[in-house]
Amino acid sequence: AALALVAAALTKGFALLLLPLFARVHGRSFVLWAVLGLLYLGMPLWVYLPQFLHGMYQYLETVHVNSGLFNWVNLALLPFTRYWHYFIAEKLSDLAILGVVVWSAWRPVASHEDLLRRSFVVLAVTLLVIPTLFPWYLLWTLAFMPLLGRRPLYSFVLLSGLSVLLYTFYISIMPYWWTPIAEYVPFYLLLAWEIIQAKKPGAVRAWVHRLVTPGLILRLGSDPAQPGKV
């Protein structure tokens, strides 16, 4: 598992954000194997580390594409601070990522499903607050959809489809004002609805009851009006 996490991190650094969570579950041996794996599998990276850091710096400073919350926070700060709005937005983004990573590893993990759910939340929050969101970044969240139980967040499935609107910029070589609205407003509306539905008292219990009870009745041959009789 540690080597798989390292391999994922070498593909895209987002995976390193899951290290504290997996270390909470698997202990210090996981961290040790992850460090050793990173040192060995990352040898090509260490050889060209100066060039890699230079390229990453240029990427982080110049490529700001298709951001949602980050861009809105940046624009909201613009009237109040002329020169520091982007810097403040960056630090707020970093704090959000740090907060969700700490949250994921704060309490013991109850089950494998809980581990997958926390991993999904870490990656999802990260993708929503970073200044650049290319459509293929969302593959990190789609991979969790079949593993999150019977109620995946369809809002992220929707966002993965709407993110192709980014390519209107590359087709016309100019940004359209309506693109982030068409991409993110439906996503956040659906996400808010899903969260509200999940938070309703008894909503999950009632949903599980509706799902399980017909199967039990059919299997046991019991009378729905008299659950105790078969």
Side-chain angles (χ1 to χ4, degrees), residues 4-229:
L5 181 65
V6 168
L10 291 173
T11 303
K12 200 66 181 175
F14 293 142
L16 283 179
L17 297 174
L18 301 178
L19 183 59
L21 172 60
F22 279 79
R24 176 67 185 249
V25 175
H26 299 291
R28 295 179 181 178
S29 60
F30 182 92
V31 178
L32 177 61
W33 279 106
V35 171
L36 292 176
L38 187 60
L39 290 174
Y40 179 75
L41 296 177
M43 282 194 292
L45 178 64
W46 310 135
V47 172
Y48 296 99
L49 186 60
Q51 295 89 333
F52 171 78
L53 294 177
H54 177 69
M56 284 300 299
Y57 176 80
Q58 288 187 319
Y59 168 78
L60 294 174
E61 290 297 317
T62 59
V63 180
H64 307 139
V65 178
N66 201 37
S67 63
L69 284 177
F70 183 93
N71 185 51
W72 295 343
V73 170
N74 183 42
L75 293 177
L77 292 171
L78 185 58
F80 304 100
T81 170
R82 185 175 180 181
Y83 300 106
W84 294 93
H85 55 92
Y86 191 87
F87 175 81
I88 296 173
E90 278 187 320
K91 297 311 172 186
L92 291 174
S93 174
D94 293 341
L95 285 174
I97 294 172
L98 177 62
V100 75
V101 170
V102 171
W103 165 84
S104 69
W106 189 260
R107 292 177 298 129
V109 175
S111 62
H112 283 93
E113 185 176 347
D114 187 30
L115 174 64
L116 292 171
R117 181 181 64 85
R118 295 191 198 186
S119 301
F120 173 83
V121 171
V122 170
L123 296 177
V125 170
T126 300
L127 293 177
L128 293 180
V129 300
I130 57 177
T132 299
L133 180 63
F134 288 112
W136 54 88
Y137 288 5
L138 291 165
L139 292 176
W140 286 85
T141 60
L142 292 182
F144 284 90
M145 290 303 169
L147 307 174
L148 290 175
R150 297 177 180 271
R151 299 189 68 181
L153 286 175
Y154 295 109
S155 51
F156 279 88
V157 178
L158 175 64
L159 181 61
S160 68
L162 294 176
S163 63
V164 299
L165 292 172
L166 166 65
Y167 293 102
T168 59
F169 170 79
Y170 294 105
I171 293 172
S172 60
I173 314 299
M174 61 175 292
Y176 291 105
W177 64 268
W178 52 265
T179 301
I181 297 175
E183 180 178 355
Y184 283 105
V185 169
F187 161 72
Y188 279 111
L189 288 176
L190 180 56
L191 179 63
W193 182 83
E194 288 177 319
I195 293 175
I196 291 172
Q197 292 299 311
K199 294 296 183 181
K200 282 184 177 180
V204 175
R205 184 183 301 175
W207 178 82
V208 172
H209 178 76
R210 289 196 302 269
L211 177 70
V212 175
T213 302
L216 290 176
I217 292 173
L218 182 62
R219 185 165 62 249
L220 299 177
S222 60
D223 184 357
Q226 300 181 25
K229 297 183 179 181

